[in-house]
Every structure is written in C-alpha cells, then in structure tokens.
C-alpha cells in the first residue's frame, strides 16, 4: 500500500526557477529514494539518501531527510523544460532484507520554457 | 549499465484471454524482480516480489491465480494476466535489483488494454 504523501500534487514553474517537492512517510526506514517518470515510461532512479544522512547532492538535485518528522524534500535547481516529469519518493522500510519500495503519490512537475 | 527491458510495450486483447509480459535484465543478474501496477496519474502499487527460483510473494489483495509470476532465471521474469477483464487494463511495470543493492532498475512498462 502507498505509504507516503507528496506535495504538491502538481507544480508548474518557469525555466530557470527552482522546484521543491516534499514527501512524508509513516514508518521507520532504511533509506529513501527519489525517482523520475516521464509520461508513459518507466522510472529512473535519481538519488538515494540513507536514514543516517541528512542531506545529499547530485548535480542540480538536493535531497534532505528529516527522520524525526518522517519527511524528505527534493530540490531541483535551475530547472529546464526537460525536467518536466512526475517525481516519486520511495521508501525502503526496516527491516530492509526484502528490498521492497513503497512509493509516494508523486508530484507532477511542469517546467515552462 | 543496469538496463531492464519489457515486452511487449503495449498490448490490446479481448476479455477472457491471457496475456504474458516479459521483464528482462539485459546486463546484470537480477536476484529479485518486482511487478507494479500503475493507474493513470497515480502512483505505483507493488503487486509481487519474485526471487529467482522461488515462488513469488504477492501483496495483499493481489490474486495469485490471476497474476501468475514466474522468475525462472536470473535475467527473466514473466507476468501472465489470466482471463483478462477490462478492469485489468493498466500500466504494468517491472523492476529488478541484485544482491546488496538498494536501487531498483525499472523497465519501460507495458500498457495493457482489455476490450
């Protein structure tokens, strides 16, 4: 079942602006991952942050994790039209032996040229 | 690396027929494969987890006799939708991972339409 909620559900910004998406989850986690999905396609892994990490960077992506609030945020800086996609957070709960992921509800990002 | 393919990418079938979807890891050995279902503008719902050589573990509410999963080798898992009905129409996505790795690698998905 879906564990997390993401907000906003939809976000529309101009090219060059920053986009921030938030994710909340319910149970203790081993790690949290962010994925991107272009319309009608599979998912692409963006970044993984472990439960003992608070912030992680990868190119124009910045992810934060607050385990006390059970929340994470994904920041995309200097957005481009090509960043238009749905973004999902996914959590790997403890214990993590099964390596299953529970996906959030997703944020549809539209970057206007 | 870590490419996963799915076949077919889309399929249209008549109600009552069975449809098989293949998921292949092309450049790695997948110890675990996952099958998801996704409705339009919604998130992914995990249907089942399959480990090579053993029976799939189905999520609550997923009919194992309707959605047959076979993971016969380290590079191939199949999902067969038996006696398909219009309500089975959906986007089915597989993913794969390997021992010691947290990330899942996703296939491009299969759009199933049951008439």
């Amino acid at each position: 079942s879906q564990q997390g909620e993401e907000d906003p559900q939809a976000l529309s910004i101009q090219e060059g602006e920053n986009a921030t998406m938030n994710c909340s989850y319910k149970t203790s986690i081993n790690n949290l991952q962010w994925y991107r999905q272009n319309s009608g396609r599979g998912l692409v892994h963006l970044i993984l942050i472990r439960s003992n990490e608070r912030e992680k960077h990868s190119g124009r992506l910045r992810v934060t994790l607050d385990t006390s609030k059970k929340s994470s945020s994904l920041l995309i800086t200097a957005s481009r039209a090509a960043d238009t996609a749905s973004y999902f957070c996914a959590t790997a709960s403890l214990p993590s032996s099964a390596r299953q992921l529970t996906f959030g509800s997703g944020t549809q990002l539209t970057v206007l040229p | 690396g870590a490419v996963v393919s799915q076949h077919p990418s889309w399929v249209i079938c008549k109600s009552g027929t069975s449809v098989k979807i293949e998921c292949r890891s092309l450049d790695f050995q997948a110890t675990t494969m996952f099958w998801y279902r996704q409705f339009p503008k919604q998130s992914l719902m995990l249907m089942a987890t399959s480990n090579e050589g053993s029976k799939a573990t189905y999520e609550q509410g997923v009919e194992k006799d309707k959605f047959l999963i076979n993971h016969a080798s380290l590079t191939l898992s199949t999902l067969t939708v038996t006696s398909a009905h219009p309500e089975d129409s959906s986007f089915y996505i597989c993913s794969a991972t390997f021992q010691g790795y947290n990330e899942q690698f996703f296939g491009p998905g299969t759009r199933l339409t049951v008439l």
Side-chain angles (χ1 to χ4, degrees):
Chain A
S1 60
Q2 251 169 264
Q3 169 170 222
E5 293 295 322
E6 290 182 57
D7 81 274
Q9 287 188 342
L11 178 62
S12 184
I13 59 174
Q14 293 292 135
E15 211 165 22
E17 294 180 339
N18 296 341
T20 300
M21 289 159 265
N22 303 296
C23 165
S24 62
Y25 57 92
K26 297 175 184 172
T27 63
S28 296
I29 62 171
N30 174 277
N31 65 74
L32 184 145
Q33 304 176 34
W34 285 89
Y35 288 82
R36 166 200 168 120
Q37 182 182 34
N38 285 77
S39 181
R41 305 290 295 172
L43 276 70
V44 175
H45 182 264
L46 296 177
I47 196 166
L48 178 152
I49 186 165
R50 301 186 190 284
S51 59
N52 61 353
E53 297 176 309
R54 291 298 165 256
E55 187 171 314
K56 204 160 184 181
H57 297 254
S58 177
R60 294 185 295 114
L61 306 179
R62 172 177 168 254
V63 169
T64 63
L65 178 64
D66 187 336
T67 52
S68 66
K69 294 181 180 178
K70 292 186 167 59
S71 66
S72 174
S73 68
L74 170 68
L75 168 68
I76 303 174
T77 60
S79 63
R80 305 166 182 167
D83 294 330
T84 295
S86 292
Y87 292 82
F88 294 93
C89 66
T91 52
S93 298
L94 293 171
S96 62
S97 57
R99 287 175 290 149
Q100 292 176 339
L101 294 176
T102 302
F103 284 82
S105 51
T107 294
Q108 172 62 52
L109 173 67
T110 302
V111 181
L112 303 169
Chain B
V3 179
V4 176
S5 70
Q6 267 184 256
H7 179 80
S9 55
W10 60 270
V11 57
I12 301 173
C13 69
K14 292 183 178 179
S15 188
T17 60
S18 294
V19 175
K20 180 185 282 189
I21 302 170
E22 291 187 350
C23 176
R24 293 182 185 271
S25 56
L26 299 184
D27 51 3
F28 66 99
Q29 293 188 323
T31 49
T32 305
M33 287 184 166
F34 304 89
W35 286 95
Y36 296 86
R37 184 172 179 175
Q38 186 180 33
F39 290 106
K41 298 190 185 300
Q42 294 189 25
S43 186
L44 280 73
M45 301 300 290
L46 179 65
M47 298 175 67
T49 303
S50 77
N51 294 297
E52 186 266 338
S54 61
K55 288 184 179 180
T57 302
Y58 290 81
E59 294 299 297
Q60 195 171 10
V62 178
E63 298 175 60
K64 59 182 67 176
D65 293 331
K66 177 156 189 69
F67 299 100
L68 301 178
I69 292 171
N70 183 284
H71 191 166
S73 76
L74 283 171
T75 60
L76 173 64
S77 176
T78 60
L79 167 68
T80 301
V81 183
T82 62
S83 187
H85 291 284
E87 57 264 31
D88 298 325
S89 297
S90 190
F91 192 55
Y92 292 88
I93 309 177
C94 73
S95 70
T97 190
F98 49 90
Q99 194 71 28
Y101 214 67
N102 291 305
E103 176 185 341
Q104 290 183 20
F105 302 96
F106 283 81
T110 296
R111 173 80 53 197
L112 171 63
T113 301
V114 184
L115 302 176

